[in-house]
Amino acid sequence: MSSAAPFGTVLTAMATPFQTDGSVDLEGVQKVARHLVAHGHDGLVVSGTTGESPTTSVVEDGEILAAVKDAVGGEVKIVAGIGTNDTRTSLELARQAEKIGVDGLLLVTPYYSKPGQAGVREHFRQVVSGVDVPVMLYDVPGRTGTAIGYDVYREAIGWDTVVAVKEAAGDLARGTRLIDLGYTVYSGDDALNLAWLAHGAVGMVSVVGHVAGDLLRAMVDAVAAGDLAAARAAYARTLPVIDAIMGAPNYGATAAKAGLELLGVLDNRRVRSPLLALDETEVAAVRSGLQASGIL
């Protein structure tokens, strides 16, 4: 792994399996982690939105993180999702992750509350200054309702531990400017993975990586080798499964779990309310995408 990629190059925001009673399935968590590592990943994001973090407690997040570290710690970089719309809770999660011993933190813009840019900056500052762990900021205004302003980016890169951004705003031109500011950029949108790599991103934090990790690895390695034709071929193969996963309701968790079930990694696709597991018609669409991409 290049030192220019502090958290690895192929990462997936892991889904969180659940038991029949709704509790976290820690054995399932470890199965997912091992599956990802066996299929091209050199980094994992734990308890991000795809992990249904709005429905898991601080204690559960710690248990999930510890289970992943026990399963694959030392093999890949482990990044803890600690973003909430409550600064105190995010700081509590960050300190817990630091004690468990993670390689990085993923800090999303506070969602729903829609703070102004001064509030976004202060939220980031309080969390970042409370721990000594490298941080990847996460800009996804389609989910949070608030984009990270350029002035906030410009200030935050001056903080010692802020090193990267997961870019899911789709602004390729601004991403180039963020690289010039000193950020390591990761694609946060699977449909734009190749475009981001071409613009200087080092890798991606994926959703489709749950089922297409080998294709993502092939694409990243081809770009690194300067083989654009091979990179485009790998990217083209991911398109059917991207369409299938992204076309499902709240694709991050529901379709990822359906894909893992189809691959035999999990034996169920349970999610926590307010999400609902995909029905058989929706699962059939995911299956078709996997087949069209040559994964199943």
Side-chain angles (χ1 to χ4, degrees):
M1 184 184 67
S2 168
S3 60
F7 306 119
T9 55
V10 176
L11 297 85
T12 281
M14 282 182 51
T16 301
F18 296 111
Q19 305 276 14
T20 55
D21 64 358
S23 61
V24 175
D25 177 3
L26 294 177
E27 182 178 348
V29 166
Q30 293 186 323
K31 286 180 180 178
V32 174
R34 293 189 185 104
H35 162 75
L36 294 174
V37 172
H39 291 278
H41 287 71
D42 53 3
L44 301 175
V45 172
V46 182
S47 294
T49 307
T50 307
E52 298 176 69
S53 58
T55 74
T56 54
S57 68
V58 171
V59 171
E60 287 175 325
D61 286 346
E63 292 171 344
I64 294 164
L65 193 57
V68 173
K69 186 173 174 61
D70 287 345
V72 298
E75 298 179 58
V76 297
K77 297 291 186 178
I78 298 175
V79 179
I82 50 92
T84 72
N85 58 353
D86 173 38
T87 304
R88 293 173 301 175
T89 300
S90 288
L91 184 54
E92 182 180 5
L93 287 167
R95 287 172 171 161
Q96 174 177 258
E98 183 177 35
K99 288 180 181 178
I100 290 170
V102 298
D103 300 291
L105 304 173
L106 180 68
L107 180 58
V108 72
T109 316
Y111 46 81
Y112 186 78
S113 303
K114 298 183 72 173
Q117 291 301 309
V120 171
R121 180 175 58 249
E122 180 63 13
H123 175 79
F124 287 166
R125 187 196 64 77
Q126 287 189 40
V127 176
V128 169
S129 64
V131 291
D132 187 23
V133 182
V135 173
M136 181 191 306
L137 302 180
Y138 181 14
D139 197 8
V140 57
R143 284 187 178 268
T144 65
T146 304
I148 302 174
Y150 189 75
D151 287 344
V152 174
Y153 274 123
R154 188 163 48 194
E155 180 173 341
I157 196 62
W159 304 337
D160 289 344
T161 55
V162 174
V163 297
V165 58
K166 177 185 176 183
E167 217 290 353
D171 193 335
L172 294 162
R174 189 182 64 169
T176 300
R177 295 186 178 100
L178 294 180
I179 292 170
D180 290 341
L181 278 180
Y183 283 93
T184 299
V185 170
Y186 287 83
S187 170
D189 182 348
D190 280 307
L192 291 178
N193 282 340
L194 182 56
W196 274 116
L197 291 172
H199 279 75
V202 299
M204 68 283 300
V205 179
S206 177
V207 174
V208 301
H210 283 97
V211 295
D214 292 329
L215 289 174
L216 297 182
R217 169 54 57 201
M219 180 174 60
V220 168
D221 289 349
V223 170
D227 190 345
L228 183 58
R232 290 179 63 187
Y235 173 70
R237 279 191 59 195
T238 67
L239 290 178
V241 74
I242 288 174
D243 290 342
I245 296 289
M246 301 308 189
N250 196 58
Y251 59 83
T254 59
K257 287 182 178 178
L260 291 169
E261 183 184 32
L262 289 167
L263 292 179
V265 179
L266 297 177
D267 62 4
N268 69 84
R269 51 183 182 275
R270 287 186 287 267
V271 292
R272 278 185 174 172
S273 184
L275 300 184
L276 294 175
L278 298 192
D279 62 28
E280 292 305 321
T281 299
E282 292 163 338
V283 171
V286 175
R287 182 185 294 108
S288 294
L290 288 167
Q291 290 170 337
S293 289
I295 298 167
L296 188 64

